[in-house]
Amino acid sequence: MQPQIIPNISVDCVIFGFDFETKSLNVLLIERFLKADEGNEPLVNDYVLTGYHTYEGETLDETASRVLKELTGLDNLYKKQFKVFGDPNRLMNDRDIIWAKNQNFNQRTITIAYYFLLQTHEVNLRNTEHKAQWFPVDKLPALGFDHKAIINEAYADLKEKSMYKPIIFELLPDKFTIKELQDTYEAILGTEIDNRNFRRKLITKKFIVKLDEKQVGISKKPSHLFMFSKDIYQKAYKENYLINI
Amino acid sequence: MQPQIIPNISVDCVIFGFDFETKSLNVLLIERFLKADEGNEPLVNDYVLTGYHTYEGETLDETASRVLKELTGLDNLYKKQFKVFGDPNRLMNDRDIIWAKNQNFNQRTITIAYYFLLQTHEVNLRNTEHKAQWFPVDKLPALGFDHKAIINEAYADLKEKSMYKPIIFELLPDKFTIKELQDTYEAILGTEIDNRNFRRKLITKKFIVKLDEKQVGISKKPSHLFMFSKDIYQKAYKENYLINI
């Protein structure tokens, strides 16, 4: 038996993935397609975030994890409930109206938006039922509903948090070079960072642990590898209230 | 005609007020009271946050502002939508069950939680229909539903944000002394701050503007007054991405 859904409450997931080859922050989107009568342009042909209604008896966090797992097969990722989108009319254009009619949506729906952080290579796109695709956060395709606004707010939140919380490490492999850390910061903040200042500042942090290992498979001079220690970070953070306004 | 409510969606407001006399961060709560048959203890006698259902055609922000205004008469305050509370069962104890029955609540309700920042003296408690009362955030009375969890999460969010965003100034009068600023930080962070470091650090910020005015009505040596310039802050902030993890 299918669990019963709550018709006016849904969860939408902004899945951010960092792509190390292109050094870009991407978002995973699924195709929304509705074909027209023969010979005509499709009625709807754009992209949306993955999301679904909450089930009765399910917490919102559980809904978000279920939606993520159904699309990507993944769980245990960094998950952040960042905002609710509940404007009375979230159908933004003709495509949304056609789509809503086709799907029998006829009710104001409030969506609780989450974002997830991972690396693009963790998701096997061929495994997904939906046509899912990565898009750079600054080169998004036409989007349905208010999903552009949802992505923009998720990105603003991620940007802000990355400046004072160690969430950037969720986008990096376990072992990374300082250059990779800097590339990731630059991609998220959308700005260049002074090389020497960055190294000097980050390398002194006790929670960025230098390993007795170097990159492999690099033809030029391989760099040292580092890892992030959550334990050391949490200990240091508890002891200090730093006002950095 | 009354607007139609959305039965399973509500907004709850954590109204934080800073009390300069007691130097404490307080929360405004309303009494929940249901009397029993004569001679018996009341069936319900505790406190809850102020909140109400969203109306059809109203945004969630509008619901929050309406709820605040109905209780306090105030608007244009700092408002932050910080989290959704939507566990399948938010009725926590016998009092909640008695109350829900009395009020004919029989549906899972999802509440969007906001917090507001002000100074306690801005609210005239005698003007409120409900029995409203300020309680220090660390000395809360018995609370209904999951409102204790909502207050705790609002406070954690406020604490964290106050370290890297200038929201503390929402709790202060327009003109303040450095000592008052420090008192407010200490109350929010729940910790003592080193006097000299604090002065040295804060006084150099260009957005904390020293006025050509001193305190009045002080018998001892009056201190200089300062104000916070939002314009200067925003300009400075836009120009710098500071990584302070």
Side-chain angles (χ1 to χ4, degrees), chain A residues 109-155:
Chain A
T109 301
I110 287 186
T111 199
I112 293 97
Y114 283 77
Y115 64 80
F116 290 89
L117 302 179
L118 51 85
Q119 298 154 56
T120 51
H121 70 77
E122 291 179 78
V123 182
N124 186 343
L125 292 181
R126 277 180 229 151
N127 283 349
T128 68
E129 256 181 71
H130 303 276
K131 282 195 184 172
Q133 207 180 316
W134 289 108
F135 289 91
V137 73
D138 54 0
K139 280 173 204 143
L140 295 172
L143 287 157
F145 309 121
D146 52 358
H147 290 192
K148 197 179 166 84
I150 295 178
I151 294 170
N152 286 344
E153 294 234 22
Y155 182 34

Side-chain angles (χ1 to χ4, degrees), chain A residues 8-9 55 57-59 81 83-84 87-88 108 110 160 163-165 185 201 205 242-245, chain B residues 8-9 55 57-59 81 83-84 87-88 108 110 160 163-165 185 201 205 243-245:
Chain A
N8 67 342
I9 296 171
Y55 294 145
E58 187 183 49
T59 67
Q81 186 216 91
K83 199 164 182 183
V84 184
D87 274 5
R108 173 176 174 190
I110 287 186
E160 191 181 290
M163 287 191 274
Y164 69 93
K165 283 194 148 186
Y185 267 119
K201 191 165 182 177
K205 304 280 181 189
L242 292 174
I243 300 168
N244 275 316
I245 60 168
Chain B
N8 67 341
I9 296 172
Y55 294 145
E58 187 182 50
T59 66
Q81 185 215 89
K83 198 162 184 187
V84 184
D87 273 4
R108 174 177 174 188
I110 286 188
E160 189 180 290
M163 289 190 273
Y164 69 94
K165 283 195 146 185
Y185 267 118
K201 189 164 183 178
K205 304 278 180 192
I243 300 168
N244 275 315
I245 59 169

Side-chain angles (χ1 to χ4, degrees), chain A:
Chain A
M1 207 182 81
Q2 275 285 12
Q4 213 179 336
I5 64 162
I6 303 182
N8 67 342
I9 296 171
S10 65
V11 162
D12 277 303
C13 298
V14 182
I15 303 172
F16 283 120
F18 192 70
D19 182 332
F20 278 93
E21 284 182 36
T22 59
K23 290 177 187 169
S24 93
L25 183 69
N26 293 357
V27 183
L28 192 58
L29 298 173
I30 59 178
E31 197 179 60
R32 188 171 72 156
F33 188 86
L34 198 61
K35 74 171 194 206
D37 297 334
E38 217 164 309
N40 287 326
E41 293 281 302
L43 293 170
V44 181
N45 186 13
D46 57 11
Y47 286 84
V48 286
L49 294 167
T50 183
Y52 202 70
H53 290 277
T54 300
Y55 294 145
E56 287 290 355
E58 187 183 49
T59 67
L60 302 169
D61 277 5
E62 283 164 357
T63 309
S65 296
R66 169 170 58 82
V67 166
L68 175 82
K69 186 148 193 179
E70 277 172 11
L71 185 65
T72 66
L74 300 172
D75 43 26
N76 289 320
L77 291 179
Y78 177 90
K79 173 173 63 187
K80 165 82 187 160
Q81 186 216 91
F82 69 97
K83 199 164 182 183
V84 184
F85 294 79
D87 274 5
N89 199 348
R90 299 178 47 235
L91 308 181
M92 310 291 277
N93 56 42
D94 290 351
R95 305 190 312 270
D96 294 341
I97 292 161
I98 293 165
W99 185 260
K101 212 171 158 187
N102 177 267
Q103 305 272 316
N104 285 318
F105 293 165
N106 54 10
Q107 207 175 358
R108 173 176 174 190
T109 301
I110 287 186
T111 199
I112 293 97
Y114 283 77
Y115 64 80
F116 290 89
L117 302 179
L118 51 85
Q119 298 154 56
T120 51
H121 70 77
E122 291 179 78
V123 182
N124 186 343
L125 292 181
R126 277 180 229 151
N127 283 349
T128 68
E129 256 181 71
H130 303 276
K131 282 195 184 172
Q133 207 180 316
W134 289 108
F135 289 91
V137 73
D138 54 0
K139 280 173 204 143
L140 295 172
L143 287 157
F145 309 121
D146 52 358
H147 290 192
K148 197 179 166 84
I150 295 178
I151 294 170
N152 286 344
E153 294 234 22
Y155 182 34
D157 192 275
L158 169 61
K159 225 170 178 170
E160 191 181 290
K161 283 216 173 33
S162 70
M163 287 191 274
Y164 69 93
K165 283 194 148 186
I167 59 171
I168 196 122
F169 302 104
E170 305 288 342
L171 295 165
L172 285 155
D174 287 344
K175 299 171 183 182
F176 51 84
T177 66
I178 294 293
K179 176 75 170 59
E180 284 170 335
L181 180 58
Q182 184 175 344
D183 287 344
T184 315
Y185 267 119
E186 287 185 343
I188 290 179
L189 299 177
T191 187
E192 277 183 45
I193 297 171
D194 180 78
N195 218 339
R196 279 169 62 195
N197 278 344
F198 183 83
R199 280 199 86 82
R200 196 170 45 215
K201 191 165 182 177
L202 272 288
I203 227 161
T204 59
K205 304 280 181 189
K206 284 193 184 124
F207 48 81
I208 297 179
V209 181
K210 191 174 187 176
L211 300 175
D212 197 15
E213 269 179 74
K214 288 193 171 183
Q215 288 176 300
V216 288
I218 302 288
S219 55
K220 288 179 289 177
K221 209 181 133 193
S223 301
H224 257 290
L225 291 169
F226 292 78
M227 57 172 276
F228 167 65
S229 165
K230 204 170 183 173
D231 286 352
I232 298 176
Y233 176 80
Q234 282 174 340
K235 229 179 128 190
Y237 184 81
K238 269 196 185 159
E239 286 162 8
N240 295 299
Y241 280 112
L242 292 174
I243 300 168
N244 275 316
I245 60 168

